[in-house]
């Protein structure tokens, strides 16, 4: 029985653990459970996936990879991890538009929380969902497709509407990416050139420890078909001559290849390689997405409290992402910038800092990542999600007996 999340910072409270091997078996488990919750690859840092009832993992469901060339979609089993099917998709000549920093997460878990990668033109991974199949609380199977009235509510749904069994994702022609890391980008340079920096590649990630040195590493992931030759200088930063890890003293062996070597999308868009543990040991994560017009002011706000954060922080990462239309997506209707924190696993100290971070970012309409640790004002959160009442109605219709409820969603989504 699985009792902790991936980071080991919390124990799940589930009374039972199920690994059905077919949709029929899954339906039986769900229909018999007064309380249930799907578990993905357990990479969330808070109690979003928890339940006191039946925990259901899809890891034993049959693998699937069905490419519909005409519709430009791939259909996968919902519990599949991106890294498990990406290579086969590539071999068939296709790609998904983007990936998160690690390929180890399940598709269902990623889309349920609005997980994203980076890139001015790249919306969240959930935005690529063209259709879903799920088992509802009464054990019946429903299929929903993009364009149907409630569809924008069912994709980023925090596991509240049913257990997703199959997911269809938009695909694009496979592409190659090169990754180049630049060191020491000054704060002033970021402020003067923010748009030029974030649009300088298909996906850009900026790592910082919030010190006077500014951005310690800028990771540029450029499509090879679009990339011109890259200069050794990048807005005052210097191209690294060796492979880098975002943390200064950590070996780069678990990071995806850099130094401008072209490779397939699935082996460059994530920062970390599938075969390795993507972390410097125990950690916690928090992240806020805010309209990108507020990005620089938000960065300044965090710099203002950085001295208090730094003793508990491994590193922060700034990314950008395009708007989507998904009701509970942190990037709803606004092109966004994200400020991410990889904390040391100092649980009491980090817990005490979360309200400080939230208060610093609140003036910028910042929405917390659903799968990471945060503390916020529930009324403010409700204001930031204008579709919340409609989503609550949808949840009440699809799950009238509140089978998929837990304390986390009761607190932040309400009934
Ligand atoms: C090292 C690390 C790096 C990360 N990098 C990024 C990043 O680059 N970008 C980013 O945005 N986030 C990132 N995250 C956060 C991560 O993407 C999210 O927490 C994501 O939800 C994890 O997916 P999972 O499969 O582990 O889901 P879980 O944590 O297991 O579950 C998350 C939610 O999904 C629901 N769920 C899972 N399966 C199903 C299903 N079949 N049907 C319905 N609901 C389901 C669960 O009930 C729960 O509500 C990172 C996390 C870690 C640990």
């Amino acid at each position: 029985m699985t009792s902790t999340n991936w980071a080991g910072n919390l124990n799940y409270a589930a009374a039972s653990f199920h690994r059905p091997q077919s949709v029929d078996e899954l339906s039986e488990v769900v229909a018999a459970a007064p309380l249930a919750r799907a578990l993905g690859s357990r990479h969330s840092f808070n109690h979003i996936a928890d339940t006191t009832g039946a925990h259901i993992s899809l890891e034993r469901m049959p693998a699937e990879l069905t490419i519909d060339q005409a519709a430009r979609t791939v259909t996968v089993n919902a519990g599949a991890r991106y890294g498990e099917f990406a290579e086969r998709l590539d071999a068939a000549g296709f790609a998904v538009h983007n990936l998160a920093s690690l390929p180890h997460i399940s598709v269902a878990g990623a889309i349920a929380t609005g997980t994203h990668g980076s890139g001015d033109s790249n919306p969240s991974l959930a935005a690529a969902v063209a259709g879903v199949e799920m088992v509802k609380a009464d054990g019946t199977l429903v299929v929903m497709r993009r364009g149907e009235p409630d569809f924008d509510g069912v994709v980023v749904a925090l596991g509240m509407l049913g257990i997703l069994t199959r997911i269809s994702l938009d695909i694009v022609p496979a592409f190659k990416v090169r990754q180049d890391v630049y060191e020491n980008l000054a704060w002033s340079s970021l402020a003067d050139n923010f748009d030029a920096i974030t649009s300088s590649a298909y996906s850009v990630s900026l790592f910082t420890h919030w010190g006077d040195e500014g951005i310690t590493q800028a990771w540029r992931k450029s499509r090879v078909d679009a990339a011109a030759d890259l200069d050794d200088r990048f807005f005052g930063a210097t191209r690294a001559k060796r492979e880098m890890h975002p943390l200064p003293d950590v070996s780069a062996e678990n990071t995806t290849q850099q130094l401008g070597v072209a490779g397939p999308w699935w082996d460059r868009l994530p920062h970390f390689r599938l075969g390795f543990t993507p972390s410097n040991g125990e950690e916690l994560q928090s992240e806020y997405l805010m309209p990108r017009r507020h990005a620089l002011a938000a960065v300044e706000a965090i710099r203002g409290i950085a001295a208090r954060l730094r003793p508990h922080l491994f590193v922060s990462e700034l990314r950008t992402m395009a708007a989507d239309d998904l009701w509970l997506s942190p990037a709803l209707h606004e092109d966004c910038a994200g400020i991410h924190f990889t904390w040391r696993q100092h649980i009491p100290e980090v817990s005490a800092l979360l309200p400080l971070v939230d208060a610093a970012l609140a003036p910028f309409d910042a929405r917390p990542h659903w799968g990471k640790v945060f503390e916020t004002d529930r009324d403010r959160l409700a204001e930031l999600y204008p579709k919340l009442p409609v989503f609550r109605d949808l949840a009440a219709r699809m799950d009238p007996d509140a089978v998929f409820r837990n304390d986390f969603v009761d607190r932040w989504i309400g009934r």
Side-chain angles (χ1 to χ4, degrees):
M1 170 144 171
T2 303
S3 60
T4 64
N5 64 340
W6 172 85
N9 64 300
L10 55 87
N11 293 311
Y12 295 125
S16 60
F17 182 59
H18 307 262
R19 288 186 289 174
Q21 298 186 46
S22 67
V23 171
D24 286 347
E25 200 186 325
L26 170 65
S27 295
E28 277 174 34
V29 172
V30 174
L35 276 178
R37 201 79 187 153
L39 194 56
S41 57
R42 302 179 292 117
H43 281 86
S44 293
F45 291 88
N46 58 35
H47 282 279
I48 189 169
D50 208 357
T51 179
T52 52
H55 240 164
I56 302 172
S57 161
L58 301 188
E59 63 196 10
R60 286 193 182 162
M61 295 282 277
E64 180 181 352
L65 184 88
T66 308
I67 295 171
D68 182 335
Q69 301 230 12
R72 285 287 165 118
T73 58
V74 61
T75 300
V76 295
N77 46 309
R81 298 165 187 249
Y82 285 92
E84 285 168 359
F85 64 86
E87 231 172 312
R88 283 175 57 209
L89 186 61
D90 186 49
F94 293 102
V96 289
H97 76 285
N98 207 1
L99 291 168
S101 67
L102 79 174
H104 308 62
I105 50 175
S106 78
V107 177
I111 67 164
T113 60
T115 288
H116 57 84
S118 190
D120 285 3
S121 305
N122 293 324
S124 68
L125 306 190
V129 178
V132 296
E133 178 189 273
M134 77 173 105
V135 170
K136 290 202 301 173
D138 60 5
T140 58
L141 196 65
V142 288
V143 175
M144 300 176 79
R145 295 193 192 292
R146 184 187 282 139
E148 291 176 17
D150 295 327
F151 190 75
D152 288 346
V154 303
V155 183
V156 182
L158 321 187
M160 288 175 63
L161 305 181
I163 312 281
L164 296 162
T165 49
R166 298 164 81 224
I167 299 174
S168 299
L169 301 170
D170 295 335
I171 50 176
V172 296
F175 55 97
K176 289 216 166 5
V177 176
R178 60 177 288 173
Q179 185 164 229
D180 299 85
V181 176
Y182 292 76
E183 295 181 89
N184 302 323
L185 179 74
W187 289 122
S188 56
S189 195
L190 180 74
D192 291 346
N193 305 288
F194 185 74
D195 290 344
I197 289 169
T198 64
S199 66
S200 71
Y202 187 70
S203 166
V204 175
S205 284
L206 306 172
F207 292 95
T208 180
H209 304 270
W210 301 107
D212 291 341
E213 69 280 8
I215 302 298
T216 47
Q217 294 179 25
W219 290 34
R220 298 170 69 193
K221 298 168 192 277
S222 312
R223 284 182 66 131
V224 170
D225 50 12
D229 272 350
L230 299 181
D231 291 335
D232 279 347
R233 301 284 289 172
F234 178 60
F235 297 103
T238 312
R239 194 206 299 258
K241 297 282 188 281
R242 60 187 172 87
E243 303 262 346
M244 306 288 288
H245 189 282
L247 299 180
D249 303 323
V250 178
S251 153
E253 68 168 347
N254 65 355
T255 56
T256 47
Q257 199 171 359
Q258 304 160 19
L259 301 175
V261 179
W265 55 276
W266 56 267
D267 201 24
R268 295 292 182 278
L269 294 177
H271 302 330
F272 300 104
R273 290 202 251 160
L274 185 65
F276 287 79
T277 301
S279 135
N280 183 42
E282 294 179 338
E283 66 184 60
L284 298 170
Q285 294 186 11
S286 304
E287 187 170 25
Y288 281 80
L289 268 58
M290 71 235 38
R292 64 173 289 146
R293 61 197 142 83
H294 295 316
L296 290 170
V299 164
E300 283 309 305
I302 296 299
R303 286 185 70 198
I305 57 171
R308 294 184 60 188
L309 310 186
R310 218 176 289 125
H312 308 293
L313 198 62
F314 279 126
V315 70
S316 270
E317 181 180 2
L318 316 180
R319 287 178 279 187
T320 57
M321 52 292 297
D324 61 48
D325 296 318
L326 305 170
W327 300 349
L328 294 190
S329 168
L332 174 71
H333 294 164
E334 292 263 15
D335 290 345
C336 283
I339 302 185
H340 162 93
F341 305 84
T342 301
W343 306 104
R344 296 172 191 276
Q345 209 174 83
H346 298 170
I347 294 175
E349 293 88 348
V350 171
S351 302
L353 288 172
L354 295 179
L356 182 73
V357 171
D358 189 75
L361 296 177
F364 311 112
D365 294 343
R367 296 170 171 139
H369 191 304
W370 292 115
K372 304 186 179 182
V373 290
F374 66 91
E375 196 53 59
T376 193
D377 179 89
R378 195 180 137 160
D379 294 338
R380 188 180 79 79
L381 199 64
E383 278 171 26
L384 292 173
Y385 286 100
K387 289 285 196 178
L388 201 52
V390 193
F391 179 80
R392 284 195 201 108
D393 287 349
L394 175 64
R397 267 188 285 131
M398 290 189 67
D399 181 20
D401 296 325
V403 170
F404 299 119
R405 291 277 168 170
N406 64 13
D407 288 348
F408 179 94
V409 300
D410 278 348
R411 179 170 183 204
W412 298 117
I413 304 299
R415 297 202 183 206

